[in-house]
Amino acid sequence: MPIPSKLLELARPRWLSLLIIGLCLGYAITVLTRVPSWGLPLLTLAWVGLSTLFHWGAPLTSRADVPRRWPWALLPIALWGLYLYLAESFGIVDLSAVFFHLQAGMADHGGVSRIGAAFFYTLSMVALLASFTWLVRHDHRWRRGEPLLALVLLVSNPLLYGVGQRGAAIVTKPGAWLERHYVEPILLESPRDPPNLLLLYLESIERTYSDRERFGDAYAELDAIGEHGLVYEGIRQVDNTGWTMAGMIASQCGTPLMPAGLLHDRQFSPLEKVVPGVDCLGDLLSAQGYQLTYMGGASVNFAGKGLFYEGHGFDTILGREELQPLLEDPEYVNNWGLYDDSLFEFSLQELRRLNAEGGPWGLVTLSISGHAPYGYPAQACLDRQGEFDGNDILFSVECSAWLARSFLTRAEAEGLLDNTVVIVASDHLTMRVSAWEQLIEGERDNTFILMGPGIPQGRQRREASMVDAFPTILEAMGYTIDWHRAGLGVSLLSDEPTLLEEHGIEFFNARMREEIVLQERLWEGLAPPSQEPEPEEPQEQVVETPEDATGEEPAEVQ
């Protein structure tokens, strides 16, 4: 059967190149905007229509003997392809997360599901670059305007904008607003009977899911937990707190995780310590005689988790390598590590051990069920909820919430939570998932629930972030801290305003983009020494910018 002439026409280099460019351009628009995915064919047809109208690739007047050259825009297009891959994978592109993971270690990660997508993106980019090269070489109009297009693509790429901002902060004199507001965490008074601490991080289970109009009953089990404690609403995600290690460090150290980056004196070597320049929750509790344990289903070698907890007072650190051999079925694992039903079973055993040994203890756990893009629901959830379609994140959210509540119910029934402060929190807001469009319809906030002796029940709405969790946990445990502050955080149990309530989230984020002094404090010992200030300008770092000139006293004496 002969092939129709129209199909043969499409197979020619001109139309094949234009079709590939149109498909890639349409896909980019659907990723970067609210245009639904079904709009891709319409966008592609619109591009092909314009190409036909203006005779792109087949100009009416051609110029002979034009030397073939590589277009200037190839690299800018490739960089936009990288940005699109990151945006499609994570929803929000966070360069700080990229830098941190490159230095802290990517070993034993569970993101194998993205390998296929990365391969597809690579093939697509090769086809796009080849098609664009053909177009530029066969149409003098594109050849003439292509250098300007290359410049526009470079200037508009958010990846390069972020790198440029951080580079400018390093090579210019930095401001010190964040450093001035940082308060060294000090325990002024201790409770007579120090309580134990159970801190449950639920991977990506943000409080936004509690909206039943959008997400049904996926969050209902956490709402039930909150009825027995104090629920905080309005816990925002500031920059440099949007991935697991950053969320943990924000809530345990009172500061965003500003990566070592170019401050690291061996930029191409793995980090040996994580934020060694500040004292965190583990450091303070260890000094008070607490036995501290961290447990997570994923490898502790990934993203410096083991380094962080080893360097900040924890006695026992258990991850995939330590726990998988103890499973009844060692093959019952996912890409990242243990399923949460296994993790909570081991956590229950650890609670029994800690209680048997006596003395105050602290246990920090990190779940995996809600991990983007689809979650990893455990077998116990499949038995309860039915079949998982492999895509619906709300199934995984419900699973994570139910397993957390079941764990707390069992631990309480055994008397393992007597005199214990329990914290249930999301480590960060979720990245791109099946419910992404519904999530970004309005403001989003993190889960943060407190329960324990002396903690009132109810709900409070504060304009705060996860850095405020650190002093809040300390005061919930009965410790007296300096001016209700620790790090950049302010205890939500006090009436003191948080930095977000005083200055707003945009101002706070802007200070992080423009300053490195607090970043140097975090990585003290890993960063090369700063240059001595000019002797004739000893006061220049007190007020650096109009934004800095707030007239405020240093936080330590407010």
Side-chain angles (χ1 to χ4, degrees), residues 34 38 57 73 153 165 194 222 242 250 275 287 310 323 351 355 375 394 438-439 441 508 538:
R34 302 295 293 273
W38 54 260
L153 290 175
Q165 273 199 319
L222 290 181
V275 292
E310 287 171 9
L323 297 176
L351 282 181
N355 276 280
L394 299 183
Q438 291 88 349
L439 282 166
E441 284 179 1
F508 189 92

Side-chain angles (χ1 to χ4, degrees), residues 507-525:
F507 179 84
F508 189 92
N509 287 335
R511 300 268 57 83
M512 273 192 287
R513 291 191 295 268
E514 299 170 6
E515 300 180 7
I516 65 168
V517 179
L518 180 60
Q519 184 182 12
E520 290 174 339
R521 173 193 281 268
L522 294 179
W523 301 100
E524 185 178 353

